[in-house]
DNA sequence: ACGCTTTCCGGAAACGTTTTAGTATGGCAG
DNA sequence: CTGCCATACTAAAACGTTTCCGGAAAGCGT
């Protein structure tokens, strides 16, 4: 099949009519439209995307930028694959395709995105792993590319973003531990440069003060969000003069390392120390004793992400309410045995 | 930046020359080339991909088709993200971009691929999770799209593929267990429809016979490649009249379920029963006792995949030896404690 | 001075599609 | 009958780029 020209010749019709028929435009007789559709199906004609894109200035492709750094691969679970399912279910309804753009780990994410944007291969973008200050956001705003950020940021004025409910999780964890009588609660988190780290620790501090507990900086243990970070967090914690009776982990993978360090020290989670993890992670599911943590639906998050994005795209906005530009995504507590340790009778 | 025309006007040069300069064509003075490059950099000009593609009939994009089914998301580790790193490192050297095409789980993979191919958005494809009979392969062969399959298949004559060394792994596992005196060795595998299931069990059978051990069909336990499948495998195994002294798992995630079932029965892996898992899986790393399994480098696999693919693409084949069209990817044994159980003094 | 090659550049066609402007036909009101 | 509108189509322009072709200028040997 050579192109629309062949199809038109085969039908003995002008290419303009064929094009309008295929694109559900008015100004075409219902019967000819059926003929065209049938012929296209029969000859297996599908419009060449390059030609379409060039003419329309639109590609029908949504880009999802992910970072394939070594750390991401080892630490994250199938986060993106999970979200992707929800994204697809919405986008495919509008005949939009999802393009995953994995930034090479030796290239600056900003430069990578810049190139992709300049080549005009996507109509809109979803970016993830946003930094507190993220040049990519300014870039997208300036280029007038509709986008949604997965993760809040202070860059680029008030752009559209969706982020997990760190505040809710941190507050819930603190409340829960305090209600069990804990007052010395440690927290293991990455540095403040990471959005997650900053917000989480800040909320933790506020929650403590709400309960009349003084914030003790020595209980904030700065480690990487990895298994190894968890091990190290356990190590640091054990070296404190005045030991905490509970610990909150900002990323659940840490739990695995923490458990190992605790095991070495003969400390049993849930009996000698209360532990709460942040996000449900498949690998954590098999810890003994089971970890108290927070669950979310990746698929639903994908759906929300897609709908939010479409609302920012002029061509599709009509179908979607211009809801809040910023969404806090809730998580659900999954009680386990790891925080059974109570200081109350 | 409006396009190459603007750039040409700005330089007071014809667009033809600008294009040739940017594309490293001969027939352009070295000094003008520098001027063009500098101006492009300054004005942030990057060629519009649609225009290029339309003219050249090539998109500089390699598609990686993945399936985002529920099962994939829950069972697999970050397999694709890991492979992606290796792919990128090779492809980016040739200014090729990687496009991940996640097939919606409510759409037939074959139809999805057909649409993508017809739209001509990729120059070549990598497909994964191949079936023993896979229509996608016939499709790609017919459309003359260069491709590599991750997983062997009987479709489409002799196409290029890379697959894991199931034979090596199965044989190694059997040899190892036999050398420890085991003669009743069970195997947990999915049905023969899955390529993996067929090859694995077949090799297992051959290995046993090589050691003069009769193949006992009742020791082949057909279950899903999941945690639950592992649990079920343990269950089935315990119901056998003549119980095995060792078991081989075709997918390591099964180990988690198996351990749980064994635990319920008071059986300790490595002491009462020898267990070997197939592929190193992050979640399995934390099992107690540690699991004997097989390791591979996802990144290296990605590199191999990319180089194999480039070798099949006329425009790039020159850079790569026309090595074997089919590659068996080796895995390395990682000894653990789970198969310490020996029947020999 | 002449012819030849080499080097460099400009003009224009071509890629496949969508979309705009224009045209023929027929119906209908005046 | 005339004018007007609606319908359904055709012809052609446009999108941005690459590449083919031809030609000008310069270098070189004779």
């Amino acid at each position: 099949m050579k192109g629309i020209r062949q199809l038109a010749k085969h039908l003995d019709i002008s290419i303009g009519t064929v094009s309008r028929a295929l694109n559900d435009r008015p100004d075409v007789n219902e019967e000819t439209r059926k003929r065209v559709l049938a012929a296209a199906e029969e000859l297996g004609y599908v419009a060449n995307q390059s030609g379409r894109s060039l003419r329309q200035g639109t590609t029908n492709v949504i880009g999802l930028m992910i970072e394939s750094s070594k750390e991401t691969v080892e630490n994250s679970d199938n986060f993106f694959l999970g979200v992707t399912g929800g994204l697809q279910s919405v986008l495919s309804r509008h005949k939009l395709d999802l393009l995953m753009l994995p930034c090479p780990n030796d290239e600056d994410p900003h430069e990578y995105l810049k190139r992709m944007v300049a080549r005009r291969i996507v109509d809109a973008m979803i970016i993830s792993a946003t930094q507190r200050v993220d040049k990519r956001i300014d870039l997208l705003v300036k280029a007038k590319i509709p986008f949604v950020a997965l993760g809040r940021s202070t860059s680029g004025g008030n752009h559209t973003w969706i982020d997990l409910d760190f505040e809710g999780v941190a507050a819930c964890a603190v409340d829960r531990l305090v209600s069990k009588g804990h007052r010395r609660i440690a927290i293991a988190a990455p540095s403040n440069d990471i959005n997650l780290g900053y917000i989480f620790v800040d909320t933790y501090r506020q929650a403590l003060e709400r309960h009349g507990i003084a914030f003790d900086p020595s209980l904030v243990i700065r480690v990487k969000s990895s298994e190894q970070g968890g091990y190290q967090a356990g190590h640091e914690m054990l070296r404190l003069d005045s030991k905490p009776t509970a610990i909150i982990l900002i990323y659940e993978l840490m739990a695995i390392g923490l458990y190992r360090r605790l095991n070495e020290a003969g400390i049993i989670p849930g009996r000698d120390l209360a532990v709460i993890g942040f996000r449900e992670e498949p690998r954590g599911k098999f810890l003994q004793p089971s970890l108290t943590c927070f669950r979310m639906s990746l698929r639903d998050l994908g759906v929300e992400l897609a709908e939010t994005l479409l609302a920012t795209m002029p061509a599709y906005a009509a179908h979607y309410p211009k809801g809040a530009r910023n969404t806090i995504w809730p998580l659900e507590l999954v009680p386990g045995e790891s925080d059974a340790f109570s200081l109350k009778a």
Side-chain angles (χ1 to χ4, degrees), chain A:
Chain A
M1 179 66 346
K2 284 298 190 308
I4 199 174
R5 225 175 303 260
Q6 292 274 334
L7 186 55
K9 190 178 294 180
H10 176 259
L11 287 164
D12 202 30
I13 272 183
S14 82
I15 61 175
T17 304
V18 173
S19 174
R20 286 198 312 277
L22 291 173
N23 293 24
D24 272 325
R25 284 260 129 66
D27 264 34
V28 43
N29 185 298
E30 201 49 45
E31 213 224 323
T32 38
R33 162 166 293 137
K34 274 184 189 153
R35 281 211 309 141
V36 172
L37 255 34
E41 172 73 22
E42 182 197 342
L43 302 185
Y45 169 80
V46 178
N48 176 305
Q49 185 62 45
S50 302
R52 296 193 107 219
S53 298
L54 181 56
R55 175 60 226 233
Q56 308 194 112
T58 179
T59 60
N60 285 352
V61 170
I62 307 295
L64 168 62
M65 179 171 174
I66 64 183
E67 297 179 43
S68 60
S69 75
K70 194 162 177 298
E71 199 178 339
T72 308
V73 171
E74 292 190 353
N75 286 354
S76 81
D77 47 29
N78 267 339
F79 185 82
F80 287 109
L81 221 45
V83 172
T84 287
L87 279 172
Q88 286 276 18
S89 72
V90 176
L91 297 182
S92 64
R93 246 182 276 147
H94 296 278
K95 297 198 180 169
L96 291 170
D97 284 309
L98 180 64
L99 176 55
M100 287 175 96
L101 297 168
C103 175
N105 44 24
D106 57 356
E107 187 170 357
D108 177 26
H110 177 249
E111 288 303 317
Y112 178 74
L113 180 59
K114 195 168 166 182
R115 231 178 65 223
M116 292 303 154
V117 166
R119 297 200 328 170
R120 314 245 95 169
I121 54 182
V122 296
D123 290 347
M125 283 290 313
I126 298 170
I127 63 175
S128 63
T130 51
Q131 311 276 329
R132 283 188 65 198
V133 173
D134 203 315
K135 283 191 298 177
R136 293 178 301 169
I137 291 174
D138 300 305
L139 169 65
L140 290 170
V141 168
K142 203 169 145 203
K144 296 207 176 83
I145 306 260
F147 74 102
V148 173
L150 183 50
R152 56 198 111 176
S153 162
T154 59
S155 298
N158 73 328
H159 62 279
T160 306
W161 53 254
I162 295 180
D163 206 353
L164 305 188
D165 184 17
F166 302 138
E167 289 92 341
V169 168
C172 174
V174 169
D175 289 352
R176 186 175 164 92
L177 291 170
V178 168
S179 78
K180 295 192 178 194
H182 295 278
R183 297 189 66 82
R184 284 194 66 72
I185 302 170
I187 185 167
S191 84
N192 272 352
D193 297 340
I194 314 284
N195 230 333
L196 176 58
Y198 172 75
I199 297 170
F200 222 110
V201 172
D202 197 53
T203 311
Y204 153 87
R205 186 180 52 70
Q206 290 175 30
L208 284 181
E209 288 171 355
R210 191 153 31 80
H211 288 288
I213 302 173
F215 172 71
D216 179 354
S218 74
L219 290 178
V220 178
I221 306 172
R222 298 293 187 177
V223 290
K224 294 218 163 169
S225 297
S226 63
E227 184 208 339
Q228 203 167 7
Y231 184 90
Q232 195 189 335
H235 194 70
E236 305 264 343
M237 190 185 70
L238 292 174
R239 286 170 50 190
L240 292 176
D241 293 331
S242 173
K243 297 193 179 34
T245 61
I247 186 168
I248 299 170
L249 304 175
I250 210 171
Y251 192 68
E252 191 169 304
L253 201 51
M254 291 178 176
I256 293 160
L258 175 69
Y259 269 44
R260 213 174 55 219
R261 184 65 187 86
L262 293 180
N263 185 46
E264 290 172 10
I267 296 174
I268 295 180
R271 197 194 65 181
D272 310 319
L273 177 79
V275 179
I276 295 186
F278 167 39
R279 191 163 81 72
E280 189 187 34
E281 210 268 352
R283 275 175 259 183
K285 217 161 99 188
F286 311 105
L287 287 172
Q288 284 287 350
S290 66
L291 188 68
T292 295
C293 58
F294 294 86
R295 187 209 321 260
M296 60 186 287
S297 162
L298 294 179
R299 194 187 162 82
D300 290 350
L301 177 60
V303 169
E304 176 75 19
L305 215 40
E307 292 181 345
T308 305
L309 180 62
L310 289 175
T312 71
M313 298 175 68
Y316 301 91
H319 296 70
Y320 295 91
K322 348 186 128 203
R325 298 181 61 81
N326 302 329
T327 304
I328 299 286
W329 194 252
L331 286 93
E332 175 196 357
L333 179 73
V334 183
E337 303 156 358
S338 65
D339 69 339
F341 174 42
S342 173
L343 292 180
K344 293 196 168 164

